[in-house]
Amino acid sequence: MPLPAPFSYDVKGFFMSEDYITEQSITFESGIRLDSGRILAPVTLAYETYGALNEHRTNAILVEHAWTGDAHLAGRRNASETKPGWWDAIVGPGRLLDTDRYFIICSNVIGSCFGSTGPTSINPKTGKRYNLSFPVVTIRDMVRAQKLLIEALGIERLLSVMGGSMGGMQALEWATQYPDSIASAIVLATTPRPSPQAISLNAIARWAIFNDPTWRKGEYKHNPKDGLALARGIGHITFLSDESMNAKFGRRFSARDGQFDFFGQFEVERYLNYNGYNFVDRFDANSFLYLAKSLDLYDVSWGYESMAEAFNQVQVPIQFYAFSSDWLYPPYQTEEMAGCLKELGKPVEYHLITSAYGHDAFLLEHETFTPMVRDFLERI
């Protein structure tokens, strides 16, 4: 369909081929006004879609990614790609997000480094990368930009918005800020506001980057390797659990090292080192910092007198999931939201999943919630 001004539409491929997925992008020249009061313009969003819109455009589901995720939700983009998209297990014909029935959309958030406007983008005023001149963005700003995308696709009302962790925060923002634009929300492993403990862990990760001399206050030519790897290692620990780390690593010492070598490593140390330095090759340090700030600033009740006032805006069913071993956003935080909605007489479901996988359980154990989500979508 033709798009009205001020949209410029750059389609780098097609919705979904039999073999490969192709990323698309759309640019909004007039941009958006951020919560900070600043104008971010132009704004580009990278996204992928799977399946097809029905005649009435009522079968669209928006899937929201977590902190360092991207729009590549499922499938492979080319023959050389060794791994499929990050939630491939639930997307496709006959799967939870059945592409024979639903039109699935996944958009990369602003502030990221995977095609959407962020600190790695070129500032049109200077012709150089934004770096730290990029404005601080909030979760609500991310959703504000996504709303433009959904409108540009000609969708008046999403069947559902679904996401875990930071993706769950985005789903909450859709439910409170654009209640007429969704028919339901599915929120996994998230929080109404990060706790001081969660904020402090992000603070330490930031210090790791700030103290890397190659960071140069964001004006680096190459990713600050050591600082970003350490920051990722700190963050990755919060995604796991004591039980899962015991099962995977125990107290095993690396077979490569002598136990009494000073720089010898336990297997868990070697894993964090490997994971951290691999991360440097795929993610930008400034984007990591900006998205961490977005997480820390998040509060579903921001701009309202209370959580109850924020949730009073909700008009559609919300399904919540918490995971028993998640210590980053523990179950009591989800229970607080579900309880508040219940007291307001809103349609809400809460499911506590017993899991040893910690915060990452929503990515690793989809089979634990698939039957309930499928039933929920059927009822919607």
Side-chain angles (χ1 to χ4, degrees), residues 63-72 86 106-110 112 114 146 162-168 170 291 362:
V63 179
E64 308 280 21
H65 69 75
W67 184 358
T68 59
D70 58 16
H72 189 34
W86 55 271
C106 187
S107 164
N108 184 226
V109 300
I110 57 172
S112 185
F114 291 121
Q146 291 168 6
M162 178 179 184
S165 192
M166 190 181 85
Q170 295 168 70
L291 296 183
F362 78 95

Side-chain angles (χ1 to χ4, degrees), residues 241-377:
S241 71
D242 182 57
E243 189 174 352
S244 67
M245 293 176 83
N246 262 311
K248 188 169 185 174
F249 307 109
R251 286 183 48 82
R252 295 188 302 277
F253 210 78
S254 171
R256 303 181 188 181
D257 303 324
Q259 187 169 356
F260 295 102
D261 291 345
F262 184 75
F263 289 103
Q265 293 183 316
F266 286 94
E267 287 290 355
V268 67
E269 292 178 274
R270 186 171 291 279
Y271 168 78
L272 290 172
N273 185 76
Y274 172 81
N275 184 279
Y277 281 98
N278 267 5
F279 183 71
V280 172
D281 294 331
R282 71 175 185 86
F283 209 84
D284 174 71
N286 285 343
S287 287
F288 183 93
L289 293 169
Y290 272 87
L291 296 183
K293 177 63 72 174
S294 299
L295 288 168
D296 291 348
L297 289 174
Y298 184 66
D299 186 343
V300 72
S301 62
W302 187 78
Y304 298 95
E305 292 294 327
S306 64
M307 182 189 294
E309 185 181 355
F311 279 154
N312 202 41
Q313 315 306 311
V314 174
Q315 300 176 13
V316 300
I318 301 183
Q319 191 179 56
F320 286 101
Y321 291 89
F323 298 86
S324 59
S325 57
D326 183 354
W327 62 276
L328 180 61
Y329 299 149
Y332 79 84
Q333 295 178 356
T334 301
E335 290 163 7
E336 179 188 7
M337 293 188 286
C340 181
L341 284 161
K342 186 175 181 180
E343 288 182 7
L344 291 168
K346 305 291 184 178
V348 60
E349 290 182 25
Y350 169 65
H351 301 279
L352 176 61
I353 306 295
T354 301
S355 171
Y357 282 93
H359 185 64
D360 267 356
F362 78 95
L363 293 171
L364 301 174
E365 291 189 303
H366 62 90
E367 66 278 358
T368 62
F369 57 80
T370 288
M372 292 173 285
V373 172
R374 180 175 283 124
D375 178 66
F376 181 70
L377 290 174

